[in-house]
Amino acid sequence: MCGICGIFDQYGNPIDREVLDRMTNILGHRGPDGQGFFVHEGVGLGHRRLSIIDVEGGTQPISNEDENLQIVFNGEIYNFIELRNELINAGHKFKTRSDTEVIVHAYEQWGTDCLNRFNGIFAFAIYDTRRQEILLARDHLGVKPLYYINLGHRIIFASEIKSLIQDPHCPREVDLEALGELFTFRYVPSPKTLFKGIFKLPPGHLMVLTKSTIRTE
């Protein structure tokens, strides 16, 4: 188990590093073995790591060869060795033996179609510095959590809601309709949560954040 979080400002405004630090640090129980950050124009990614695969070399965020793709990842890709060998044969060069880096190169090779190749449980964010967009994705069964909120031109996301509310602009109002669903069904159906404006990315879904659009499929 790891913890991921991020901020995407569609206007390209500077990231509040203090907020990103708080968002990341509160996920420390999910990843006690280390933390990492990536900050660029209008983008901030945070990661708390539980070391399992490639303990020495798998520190996140991880990039591709050209460092134009950056990823924070929570989960495990069970078939990453097979995919890694296929990507090496296609000419990709790896600097770690982690399943995280396999996701980066798979996205580089196949785009969002890479999601159909993964056998595993995952929630991740990939930032493409050339396209200036973020891909968020969640595994087919929704084992790994991913929450988000749209604060106008700024979208924040994280493995847990407690990370989102570290941002002082994130509302903390209970969604009474969702509360009724909790009492009725004993859970809150996706994409709702118990907080107004805060949503779950549904299982088997991806979201693409660009400077002008937000697309979910």
Side-chain angles (χ1 to χ4, degrees):
M1 182 171 68
C2 296
I4 69 172
C5 63
I7 304 169
F8 182 71
D9 192 300
Q10 291 179 302
Y11 294 170
N13 294 320
I15 296 302
D16 187 329
R17 183 56 190 266
E18 183 178 345
V19 170
L20 182 63
D21 286 349
R22 290 203 307 267
M23 290 177 64
T24 305
N25 290 336
I26 204 164
L27 298 173
H29 61 286
R30 299 183 66 92
D33 297 331
Q35 65 179 13
F37 299 91
F38 173 81
V39 178
H40 195 247
E41 298 174 3
V43 175
L45 302 176
H47 185 263
R48 291 291 313 202
R49 187 184 185 209
L50 178 64
S51 302
I52 298 176
I53 297 175
D54 194 2
V55 173
E56 297 300 324
T59 301
Q60 299 184 42
I62 286 178
S63 66
N64 61 338
E65 305 100 319
D66 300 330
E67 298 190 350
N68 63 296
L69 298 175
Q70 299 282 341
I71 185 173
V72 286
F73 164 61
N74 170 33
E76 186 174 354
I77 305 300
Y78 304 134
N79 61 334
F80 82 97
I81 294 176
E82 295 90 337
L83 291 173
R84 187 178 192 272
N85 291 336
E86 184 176 354
L87 290 163
I88 289 174
N89 290 334
H92 293 265
K93 300 185 184 302
F94 285 78
K95 56 191 175 186
T96 76
R97 301 194 65 82
S98 69
D99 53 348
T100 307
E101 191 179 6
V102 168
I103 298 174
V104 175
H105 291 285
Y107 176 72
E108 190 176 28
Q109 180 73 21
W110 300 302
T112 57
D113 285 343
C114 70
L115 294 167
N116 296 319
R117 292 173 173 260
F118 297 149
N119 175 12
I121 52 177
F122 55 83
F124 64 76
I126 295 178
Y127 176 56
D128 187 326
T129 61
R130 292 176 180 171
R131 295 182 178 179
Q132 294 186 304
E133 67 180 35
I134 287 182
L135 168 68
L136 303 177
R138 193 172 176 210
D139 65 76
H140 309 80
L141 293 178
V143 175
K144 294 300 181 180
L146 191 58
Y147 300 90
Y148 69 92
I149 184 170
N150 185 349
L151 298 173
H153 59 84
R154 196 160 50 87
I155 300 93
I156 58 177
F157 55 89
S159 298
E160 297 183 11
I161 292 176
K162 68 173 68 174
S163 178
L164 299 182
I165 62 177
Q166 299 308 302
D167 187 309
H169 298 98
C170 182
R172 295 159 174 80
E173 184 178 355
V174 173
D175 185 331
L176 294 180
E177 182 177 320
L179 183 61
E181 292 177 341
L182 175 64
F183 290 149
T184 301
F185 305 119
R186 302 182 69 182
Y187 75 101
V188 179
S190 294
K192 293 182 189 176
T193 70
L194 284 174
F195 291 83
K196 279 189 177 179
I198 297 179
F199 299 98
K200 295 176 277 194
L201 185 65
H205 280 62
L206 63 85
M207 175 181 286
V208 178
L209 310 175
T210 74
K211 293 291 186 180
S212 58
T213 62
I214 301 173
R215 186 179 84 252
T216 303
E217 60 184 67

